[in-house]
Amino acid sequence: MKRNYLIGLSALFFASLFLLLVDSNNLGFSSDSITYLEGAKNIKAGKGYIFDDGQLINHWPPLYSILIALTSILTKVKLLYSAKYLHALLIIGIIILLDKIFKNLKLNKYLSLFSIFLFFISAASKVFLWQLSEGLFTFFNLYSYYLFLLWAKYDGKKTLIGAGVISALFFLTRFAGIGFIVAYCAFLFFFKSSDLRKKIIALSLYLIPFIILVIPWFLYAKTMGANLQDRSFEIHLITVKHLENFISVIKNWFFGNYITVKLAPFFALVIFYGLFKERKKNSVNVLGYIRKNGYPILLAGILIILYLLFIVISASFFDRGIPFDNRILYPVFPFLIILIAILLQFLYSKKVKLIFYSLGLFLLISFTASGIPVYKTYYNHGLGFTHQKWKNSEVIRYISKDDNLIYYSNATEILKLNTSKKGKKIPNKSRSEELNKIKSEVLKGDAQVLILKPFLWPDYLVSEDQIQQKFQGFKYVYFKNGYLIKYE
């Protein structure tokens, strides 16, 4: 079968499988997902990229919400469900892009397909199951990488301009794209040409279209009377916990299942034996292969290193809340897959069969053994706020009766996704006096307080102890997933 047909069929297969997987539970939702949904709703209504209270959404850039709204308009699907169709299209696009990259790297169609399979079966790629911007960010990032490979090969000005445009799009998807933009600039300035004039021209061709496309976002934020983003400088260096989380995520990508851990020593011995055997033959020139294929390896390495450095700097000086979790680290995962694909192609081209098949089999077992349980659990139970435990919870069923009460809660996201009730967030610590107003509304019978558990309790909200002290003497109705405070 011709390569294009094979890749096309694979793209349709993975996208269809994805839609079947998310059909029963929809995408997983987190607090950020709710923000994206709220932004999309107001964009669709012509109000702009704002919260329901009219404030600019400035923690996350607007492109993902814009595309959710656009997908809903074009497909006539409710906003709540439109993102899954957007994600299916992104999966198709990413598969096509990966194959174009692998074709540029001279991988045969079967190695390309194998690498694509590893990419999507991995537990790391569960980010596609969440209504979050990682899939869109990955698509634009791979596209920019592909354009840079073309530019490094053919030195075309239009290609570099295109890379600047695509980089602007991934910046407007996630501000973390700054790390990759710095990496691309470093590649242009330090590694492609020794001529200063050519360096400056290349940087200009890349940065000018980028700046032109992101300026409207700055201007829009200014017209809304808001900062471009809500982070500020303060020193809070990363901790040992951050490093432990980082190591845990990388470990789960490659050794996320006990089967892999048990088999790893055996495969390591086989691979070391293969290396010893080939070393005696002196038939494998690794450095020569790296020199010949230097730019793809170098660029992928720079992107990984500088993105991680950007995350460390951001967590240390601008946003103490950045978790070193799968979502934050995922943007480097596609480039690790590309480096793995290059390594497999090298082993295959040199006919180093023992190492090639051993490494390939280990990766297949590792990624499949860690990925399938994740997808199976998601299919059966869902993720985040759309998890079955919330949809079918006793407390949600209890408050679903027909009334016009306002529910003050630590988890208004659950109410928004699983009920038609009016939910308002319990107040911030800085506005704790608002508890008196809530108490008055509960006394009048206009409102109730709903505390859901287990649920992440943000540090900025008043504490549960404060709420219980304020509502001493009120009636508490307890459920498995939380409790209700009302007045009778």
Side-chain angles (χ1 to χ4, degrees):
M1 187 182 290
K2 289 185 177 179
R3 182 173 189 141
N4 289 344
Y5 290 131
L6 184 63
I7 296 301
L9 287 173
S10 301
L12 290 174
F13 170 77
F14 277 108
S16 300
L17 190 62
F18 167 78
L19 288 174
L20 286 172
L21 192 61
V22 301
D23 183 59
S24 58
N25 293 309
N26 196 15
L27 297 174
F29 273 72
S30 66
S31 297
D32 292 340
S33 306
I34 296 293
T35 301
Y36 286 128
L37 184 64
E38 203 167 307
K41 181 186 73 173
N42 289 313
I43 288 168
K44 188 178 179 181
K47 297 178 181 177
Y49 188 53
I50 58 173
F51 290 106
D52 287 341
D53 63 4
Q55 295 295 311
L56 176 73
I57 299 172
N58 62 350
H59 195 80
W60 304 110
L63 189 54
Y64 183 59
S65 288
I66 290 171
L67 291 181
I68 291 174
L70 184 61
T71 304
S72 175
I73 293 167
L74 294 176
T75 61
K76 309 297 183 185
V77 173
K78 289 181 179 179
L79 275 172
L80 185 61
Y81 304 105
S82 63
K84 67 181 181 182
Y85 296 103
L86 172 62
H87 286 207
L89 290 173
L90 290 172
I91 287 169
I92 291 173
I94 287 169
I95 288 172
I96 293 170
L97 269 175
L98 281 172
D99 184 62
K100 284 185 174 294
I101 290 168
F102 294 146
K103 198 172 182 179
N104 184 279
L105 299 173
K106 295 182 171 56
L107 266 73
N108 67 49
K109 59 186 178 184
Y110 299 112
L111 261 180
S112 175
L113 196 59
F114 177 73
S115 301
I116 289 168
F117 177 80
L118 291 181
F119 179 84
F120 282 107
I121 197 64
S122 167
S125 289
K126 66 184 178 183
V127 293
F128 287 91
L129 300 175
W130 290 88
Q131 182 159 308
L132 295 169
S133 61
E134 274 58 44
L136 183 63
F137 187 67
T138 299
F139 172 78
F140 287 133
N141 208 3
L142 285 172
Y143 200 169
S144 61
Y145 178 79
Y146 173 64
L147 291 175
F148 263 88
L149 290 187
L150 293 180
W151 175 76
K153 201 171 187 179
Y154 303 112
D155 212 19
K157 292 181 179 179
K158 289 182 180 179
T159 307
L160 205 51
I161 292 169
V165 170
I166 299 300
S167 295
L169 294 178
F170 71 60
F171 173 80
L172 292 171
T173 302
R174 273 192 64 191
F175 291 132
I178 294 171
F180 289 124
I181 291 159
V182 170
Y184 285 128
C185 289
F187 178 75
L188 289 171
F189 192 81
F190 293 108
F191 298 105
K192 185 63 172 69
S193 172
S194 57
D195 188 314
L196 182 60
R197 180 174 168 274
K198 287 183 178 179
K199 291 175 189 284
I200 293 171
I201 290 172
L203 281 169
S204 300
L205 289 171
Y206 174 64
L207 287 175
I208 288 173
F210 168 79
I211 292 168
I212 290 171
L213 282 177
V214 301
I215 279 177
W217 169 242
F218 285 81
L219 295 176
Y220 176 71
K222 190 170 183 180
T223 60
M224 296 290 290
N227 294 323
L228 178 65
Q229 48 79 39
D230 61 355
R231 299 161 177 88
S232 58
F233 179 84
E234 62 178 282
I235 299 174
H236 32 70
L237 301 179
I238 62 169
T239 63
V240 173
K241 184 68 176 174
H242 285 97
L243 297 177
E244 288 175 350
N245 289 344
F246 173 80
I247 293 168
S248 176
V249 170
I250 304 301
K251 174 179 171 290
N252 286 336
W253 286 355
F254 295 96
F255 305 96
N257 187 281
Y258 75 94
I259 296 173
T260 312
V261 175
K262 295 286 185 183
L263 291 175
F266 168 74
F267 279 103
L269 285 173
V270 173
I271 290 169
F272 278 123
Y273 171 73
L275 286 170
F276 178 75
K277 190 177 174 183
E278 294 301 327
R279 186 172 177 274
K280 286 183 71 176
K281 291 182 183 178
N282 200 27
S283 60
V284 179
N285 184 1
V286 178
L287 291 178
Y289 186 83
I290 291 174
R291 288 192 198 101
K292 188 178 177 182
N293 299 274
Y295 284 132
I297 297 171
L298 178 65
L299 183 55
I302 293 171
L303 288 166
I304 291 170
I305 292 168
L306 289 187
Y307 174 81
L308 294 177
L309 182 61
F310 171 79
I311 294 300
V312 169
I313 292 171
S314 297
S316 298
F317 302 106
F318 297 99
D319 190 348
R320 70 165 68 243
I322 292 178
F324 282 33
D325 59 9
N326 183 71
R327 180 189 175 194
I328 293 298
L329 298 178
Y330 184 76
V332 307
F333 181 73
F335 299 109
L336 290 176
I337 291 292
I338 288 169
L339 292 176
I340 288 170
I342 292 172
L343 174 60
L344 290 173
Q345 174 61 27
F346 167 70
L347 296 172
Y348 180 80
S349 66
K350 297 300 179 182
K351 296 181 172 53
V352 188
K353 292 183 179 180
L354 181 61
I355 302 176
F356 173 76
Y357 287 113
S358 298
L359 181 60
L361 182 58
F362 173 75
L363 291 169
L364 180 63
I365 293 171
S366 171
F367 282 38
T368 304
S370 61
I372 286 179
V374 169
Y375 297 116
K376 183 180 177 183
T377 300
Y378 167 79
Y379 181 76
N380 290 330
H381 304 291
L383 279 172
F385 303 153
T386 50
H387 195 286
Q388 289 291 336
K389 74 179 179 183
W390 296 119
K391 288 182 179 179
N392 302 321
S393 72
E394 188 182 13
V395 64
I396 293 297
R397 290 200 304 271
Y398 181 85
I399 68 169
S400 293
K401 59 189 177 183
D402 188 23
D403 61 43
N404 293 315
L405 293 177
I406 296 170
Y407 288 89
Y408 289 93
S409 178
N410 64 319
T412 52
E413 299 89 347
I414 303 294
L415 294 176
K416 182 173 284 191
L417 289 172
N418 299 293
T419 75
S420 58
K421 301 302 175 185
K422 297 175 185 175
K424 290 188 178 182
K425 207 78 168 178
I426 56 177
N428 292 357
K429 288 177 179 176
S430 60
R431 300 198 309 271
S432 59
E433 68 279 358
E434 291 181 12
L435 284 176
N436 293 321
K437 174 179 172 289
I438 296 172
K439 183 177 180 179
S440 176
E441 290 181 37
V442 175
L443 281 168
K444 292 175 183 176
D446 295 332
Q448 295 180 358
V449 178
L450 175 65
I451 304 300
L452 293 176
K453 293 183 168 185
F455 190 87
L456 179 65
W457 196 291
D459 289 338
Y460 56 82
L461 296 180
V462 295
S463 69
E464 189 176 358
D465 287 342
Q466 284 178 280
I467 291 171
Q468 290 180 350
Q469 287 172 12
K470 180 63 68 174
F471 288 92
Q472 285 181 0
F474 285 68
K475 182 176 180 180
Y476 283 65
V477 183
Y478 289 94
F479 304 92
K480 185 178 179 181
N481 294 109
Y483 56 90
L484 198 63
I485 304 174
K486 57 183 181 177
Y487 182 74
E488 286 186 359

